[in-house]
Amino acid sequence: MQTAIFGGGCFWCIEAVFNSIQGICSAVSGYINGHIENPTYEKVCSGLTGYTEAVKIEFDPEIISYRTLLEILFTIHDPTQLNRQGHDIGPQYRSGIYYLNEEQQREAQAFLNEIKEHYDKPIVTELKAAQTFYPAEEYHQDYFAKNPHAGYCAAVVAPKYLKAKQHFTHLWRENE
């Protein structure tokens, strides 16, 4: 197993998609690269902790590659929006790739260099070494699966989930 950590707006969106992909053992919502110990959702939402809402993904590289994970991430969020995704505004919603080793760093940098020509605006995705990842509170885990009809889920998460499902049908788990 390998681990990848990504930020791209609200972690509910990212987690919902990655938990539906073959080769993903788990996708956990949480917080990364801040400057206080044991962050809470309320503290992170203040925008003052330095944390990014992120998802820690455990995956089987025999089934799905790190490159494919990057492709999925960049299908479901806008990497040109600084400190926001749509109506979610604040540094905690920034786009980020948090690498765990030099290979991930090289692969992510090459990917960013390759895709930048496909955007009209500069890509603002931060590429940083992963520091401590704190899992978010339990009520955030599998949020979309537990609350598919909640307003935010119906308006924001569901369209990203369906977009990913359309683009990556061949990777989607059955019954998802």
Side-chain angles (χ1 to χ4, degrees):
M1 288 299 133
Q2 291 185 16
T3 303
I5 304 174
F6 303 135
C10 176
F11 44 36
W12 296 341
C13 299
I14 299 168
E15 181 206 293
V17 169
F18 282 108
N19 270 327
S20 298
I21 301 292
Q22 295 175 40
I24 305 295
C25 300
S26 69
V28 175
S29 291
Y31 317 109
I32 194 160
N33 285 25
H35 56 264
I36 65 169
E37 289 188 30
N38 303 311
T40 63
Y41 183 67
E42 290 73 24
K43 288 178 183 174
V44 171
C45 283
S46 75
L48 302 174
T49 65
Y51 282 96
T52 303
E53 283 194 16
V55 175
K56 183 177 184 179
I57 301 161
E58 300 293 332
F59 67 100
D60 183 343
E62 302 274 328
I63 298 171
I64 190 164
S65 68
Y66 185 73
R67 162 74 187 220
T68 300
L69 298 180
L70 291 168
E71 290 170 1
I72 293 168
L73 175 68
F74 280 77
T75 298
I76 59 173
H77 90 290
D78 182 349
T80 68
Q81 292 188 344
L82 183 61
N83 294 331
R84 71 178 300 161
Q85 283 296 299
H87 295 294
D88 292 328
I89 300 171
Q92 69 272 24
Y93 299 115
R94 65 189 172 271
S95 174
I97 301 168
Y98 304 98
Y99 57 88
L100 294 145
N101 55 50
E102 289 181 16
E103 182 181 339
Q104 284 185 354
Q105 180 184 17
R106 280 192 304 274
E107 194 165 351
Q109 186 61 65
F111 179 81
L112 291 170
N113 290 341
E114 179 184 322
I115 67 165
K116 67 183 175 184
E117 66 189 47
H118 300 290
Y119 291 90
D120 294 334
K121 299 182 222 170
I123 291 176
V124 295
T125 303
E126 66 180 13
L127 178 59
K128 291 188 171 182
Q131 296 174 4
T132 304
F133 177 89
Y134 291 93
E137 297 80 352
E138 184 57 37
Y139 70 91
H140 289 295
Q141 308 306 328
D142 298 314
Y143 193 85
F144 180 61
K146 295 174 186 171
N147 303 282
H149 303 294
Y152 184 89
C153 289
V156 179
V157 183
K160 291 181 180 194
Y161 180 89
L162 294 173
K163 181 179 183 181
K165 187 174 184 178
Q166 179 183 7
H167 280 81
F168 298 98
T169 303
H170 62 290
L171 298 175
W172 221 253
R173 290 186 180 153
E174 292 184 29
N175 303 319
E176 292 285 332

